[in-house]
Amino acid sequence: MTGLTAELVVDGRAPQAPALAPNGRLLCYVLAPSSRTGDHLDTELWLVDTDTDAAVAPRRATADAATESQPRWSADSETLFFLSDSADRGTPQLHGLTLADGTTATLTSWRGGVIDYLPLTDPSLVALLAEDEPTEQDARRARDRDDAIVVGEREPRARIRLLDLRTGRVTTPKVFGDRHAVELRQRPDGGPLAVLTWASADNDYGPRTGQLHLYDPTTRTEEDLGPVGADARSLAWWSGEDGWHLGYIALTPPLLQAGTAVFDLAVDSRVLCNRTAGRTMCPTELHQTDAAPLVVFADGLNTTLARLDSTDLTTLSHQPGRLDNLTTTPTGDTIAVLTGTRYQPSNVHIGAPTGPLRRITNTRPELDGIALGTQQPLAYRAADGLELDGLLVLPVGRTASDGPFPLVTIVHGGPYDRYADRCQLFWFPSAQWLAAAGYAVLLPNPRGGQGHGHQFAASVAGQVGQQEWTDILSGIDLLIAEGIADPDRLGIAGWSHGGFMSAWAVGQTDRFRAALVGAGVIDWGMLAATGDNGQFEAALGGSTGWSGIGPHPHDAVSPISFASHIRTPVLIVHGAEDTNVPLGQAVYLHRALRHFDVEHEFVIYPREGHSIRERNHQLDVLRRTRAWFDRWLCP
């Protein structure tokens, strides 16, 4: 067995966006590197034969140096469509690969690029989502730098377009006014398109203004189906005794911090119902088939796959860990997903929805001989008796009886996310990376997260850092009581909302010897004012700066309010171009710690957003994180 290195972590390649051909014989997937070295991420399309008796290895479908994405098949399984920016980097266009002769054709030359697309049942038509092409006036304004931005005017909108494959002509139906189109799904019988639109492409505003429409590409007619819940997505059609139904996943009203639900709209009667109300699972994907749609549920540490029947949900299988990017044949009899194990990263697996699923790709063979720490699920209770779960990863080559160990608790982001029982090895501070250096790692799933139903998720709205914090402490105290964690060598870390929890923790207690705050929230009022998702953040913090004369509720749950209490050494890392949690959040914490003379290190990564993408920066995050905890927990 060999040891884990930072290069092994960041130089890997992972499959994405699997797409099963309608005949079930081939599957295409995107192979994407974990990091990039230049301005663009070069991805590749690969094809794999799904026949259980075939011994043919996956083969690359294209040869271009490009960002290739969103593979989808024609109804006859003879053409593979995909987006590629091979002609003009950063500007994706629709391409088509004809399997019979292996030729690839560029199907669009839309200035500004194609955002999304959907092959229609009419083999000559493809629906596109694309912004308006720049005009001569736009080009002149850019050239002359006469390009003042007036917010609310000339904002980019994705509109539905129709590509005629026979002529190559793209037309733009005059539908939906000036709304921004975000998702398309055609009725399985070749009927109208369901179209989800927002009032604006602004992520703070748009997801709260969703509406559903119908558009018939044959008659060129449209129909408004009304508003949908916040953050709606994952459209799916099915037929019932009362006609056609249209479903989607959205946040459960009325809060913006909530669990997701499957909503069922009877198109003729316009009756809308929540099909997953009261369940202790959270739907993550709704997938259309020619019959009843399939639903993927986050279910604690694992995943449940179900069928949405006319009156109930039928459980088809329980799968360990996560299932992502579900794709099926039209009948739904064969599925493919991205999934892995505790010790194997995610790969493409295929099988019946009832299971079992078998792996058909192996994109990280270099990890096969790497020693990893033992990972085990945890089940415990919060201070108020609520049942909680999480994961414990032990140092490589050690057992629980070898403890106590230095313990680092890594809090997940979101907070509407979760730790699933899968391989915990990533470029950001991850359990296996620290386990390789001798640390035990706690990965808790406190309330506010995904996988335990709506009420579990909604309980932190306006109350972040309260019960979710004591939930985390309960897990740490359990590991101390069991002799696994050394109470004198505790660290805490996290990214995004996890970074918030890390900053919050060191303002509440001196129990931690060291902390890592990655892209963390320091002031909820500032984040509501400047972050990409302002009103969603306000739902967590409980108020905004314009809520009236303070003190405001968000001040009571902002780490900056407790900066004078911090004595723990803190490593702050942040991307310079982060718009989700802007850099000013990290600057605020840095200035406060400097003011109070607290030991800390502040690292800014140029050109990076909320996630760190460049190879050298990812390497620095990994090495710097381990060195920081080594300095304070293992002197």
Side-chain angles (χ1 to χ4, degrees), residues 133-439:
E133 292 187 290
T135 64
E136 289 298 322
Q137 182 184 14
D138 294 330
R140 179 194 60 76
R141 293 177 71 240
R143 182 176 61 251
D144 295 344
R145 298 196 175 188
D146 181 21
D147 52 357
I149 297 172
V150 180
V151 175
E153 293 183 11
R154 301 170 57 84
E155 288 186 352
R157 298 283 197 276
R159 307 186 195 279
I160 186 172
R161 328 274 178 179
L162 292 177
L163 167 65
D164 190 325
L165 294 172
R166 296 165 299 190
T167 64
R169 184 177 176 223
V170 176
T171 58
T172 302
K174 296 186 179 300
V175 291
F176 317 137
D178 198 36
R179 294 184 66 81
H180 172 64
V182 295
E183 188 174 341
L184 308 169
R185 189 73 64 233
Q186 187 171 29
R187 211 168 69 185
D189 66 345
L193 297 175
V195 185
L196 174 64
T197 68
W198 295 349
S200 166
D202 180 353
N203 279 333
D204 171 52
Y205 180 57
R208 299 181 281 124
T209 63
Q211 289 191 12
L212 272 179
H213 317 262
L214 298 181
Y215 174 68
D216 191 321
T218 302
T219 63
R220 304 297 174 101
T221 58
E222 65 172 302
E223 183 179 357
D224 185 7
L225 297 181
V228 295
D231 211 21
R233 57 183 173 79
S234 208
L235 301 177
W237 287 92
W238 68 93
S239 179
E241 294 181 358
D242 56 346
W244 285 99
H245 288 241
L246 184 57
Y248 56 89
I249 292 175
L251 295 180
T252 304
L255 302 176
L256 296 181
Q257 169 59 27
T260 50
V262 173
F263 291 90
D264 173 353
L265 174 66
V267 175
D268 290 340
S269 66
R270 305 294 172 86
V271 173
L272 179 69
C273 65
N274 180 342
R275 294 292 302 276
T276 55
R279 295 185 179 269
T280 56
M281 305 183 294
C282 296
T284 59
E285 296 183 38
L286 181 64
H287 188 84
Q288 178 173 305
T289 73
D290 288 346
L294 302 180
V295 189
V296 179
F297 285 96
D299 187 0
L301 296 168
N302 300 303
T303 299
T304 292
L305 183 62
R307 184 176 63 239
L308 189 68
D309 293 320
S310 57
T311 59
D312 201 1
L313 278 166
T314 300
T315 298
L316 301 176
S317 60
H318 299 288
Q319 302 289 339
R322 287 181 61 129
L323 298 187
D324 293 302
N325 295 153
L326 175 69
T327 176
T328 77
T329 53
T331 62
D333 293 335
T334 301
I335 69 169
V337 293
L338 297 179
T339 190
T341 70
R342 292 177 184 175
Y343 307 109
Q344 293 178 331
S346 185
N347 268 289
V348 181
H349 289 65
I350 194 169
T354 54
L357 302 177
R358 61 184 176 85
R359 190 179 70 177
I360 59 172
T361 65
N362 182 17
T363 61
R364 298 296 308 274
E366 67 273 19
L367 294 178
D368 289 348
I370 300 300
L372 298 177
T374 299
Q375 178 173 309
Q376 60 191 59
L378 289 178
Y380 57 101
R381 291 186 180 275
D384 62 358
L386 181 68
E387 293 184 354
L388 300 170
D389 60 37
L391 298 171
L392 169 66
V393 179
L394 295 170
V396 173
R398 311 295 291 276
T399 67
S401 62
D402 296 324
F405 307 105
L407 176 77
V408 177
T409 298
I410 307 178
V411 187
H412 66 64
Y416 195 58
D417 199 350
R418 65 167 176 152
Y419 284 116
D421 197 4
R422 61 168 176 162
C423 184
Q424 300 293 330
L425 181 61
F426 312 101
W427 65 264
F428 48 87
S430 57
Q432 291 293 354
W433 175 244
L434 290 174
Y439 294 95

Side-chain angles (χ1 to χ4, degrees), residues 204 495-497 499-500 517-535 537 572-590 602-605 608-612:
D204 171 52
W495 202 273
S496 192
H497 189 83
F500 153 71
V517 177
V521 182
I522 305 305
D523 186 299
W524 287 102
M526 184 191 297
L527 187 62
T530 62
D532 283 341
N533 308 293
Q535 289 303 298
E537 310 296 1
I572 310 167
V573 293
H574 216 108
E577 306 301 324
D578 192 344
T579 58
N580 188 331
V581 179
L583 177 63
Q585 297 278 328
V587 173
Y588 204 178
L589 179 60
H590 157 64
F602 182 24
V603 183
I604 301 170
Y605 295 103
E608 300 286 12
H610 196 53
S611 295
I612 307 301

Side-chain angles (χ1 to χ4, degrees), residues 389-614:
D389 60 37
L391 298 171
L392 169 66
V393 179
L394 295 170
V396 173
R398 311 295 291 276
T399 67
S401 62
D402 296 324
F405 307 105
L407 176 77
V408 177
T409 298
I410 307 178
V411 187
H412 66 64
Y416 195 58
D417 199 350
R418 65 167 176 152
Y419 284 116
D421 197 4
R422 61 168 176 162
C423 184
Q424 300 293 330
L425 181 61
F426 312 101
W427 65 264
F428 48 87
S430 57
Q432 291 293 354
W433 175 244
L434 290 174
Y439 294 95
V441 182
L442 170 63
L443 305 176
N445 283 325
R447 70 192 78 196
Q450 186 183 65
H452 295 281
H454 165 60
Q455 292 301 327
F456 186 88
S459 63
V460 302
Q463 302 181 67
V464 287
Q466 306 304 300
Q467 287 179 304
E468 62 175 327
W469 164 233
T470 57
D471 290 351
I472 293 168
L473 283 180
S474 294
I476 295 171
D477 290 339
L478 171 68
L479 297 182
I480 292 173
E482 293 184 347
I484 295 172
D486 183 342
D488 296 323
R489 293 188 293 167
L490 299 178
I492 191 163
W495 202 273
S496 192
H497 189 83
F500 153 71
M501 287 304 307
S502 184
W504 177 261
V506 295
Q508 306 303 308
T509 179
D510 293 335
R511 293 179 67 180
F512 298 101
R513 294 275 299 275
L516 165 69
V517 177
V521 182
I522 305 305
D523 186 299
W524 287 102
M526 184 191 297
L527 187 62
T530 62
D532 283 341
N533 308 293
Q535 289 303 298
F536 291 85
E537 310 296 1
L540 289 165
S543 61
T544 62
W546 57 80
S547 298
I549 297 175
H552 298 108
H554 67 254
D555 292 326
V557 293
S558 292
I560 196 64
S561 300
F562 300 88
S564 63
H565 300 171
I566 298 176
R567 298 294 180 267
T568 302
V570 181
L571 171 62
I572 310 167
V573 293
H574 216 108
E577 306 301 324
D578 192 344
T579 58
N580 188 331
V581 179
L583 177 63
Q585 297 278 328
V587 173
Y588 204 178
L589 179 60
H590 157 64
R591 290 181 176 179
L593 296 182
R594 182 175 60 189
H595 176 77
F596 292 112
D597 197 27
V598 178
E599 182 88 32
H600 71 287
E601 187 173 286
F602 182 24
V603 183
I604 301 170
Y605 295 103
R607 301 174 299 282
E608 300 286 12
H610 196 53
S611 295
I612 307 301
R613 300 300 185 192
E614 294 186 21

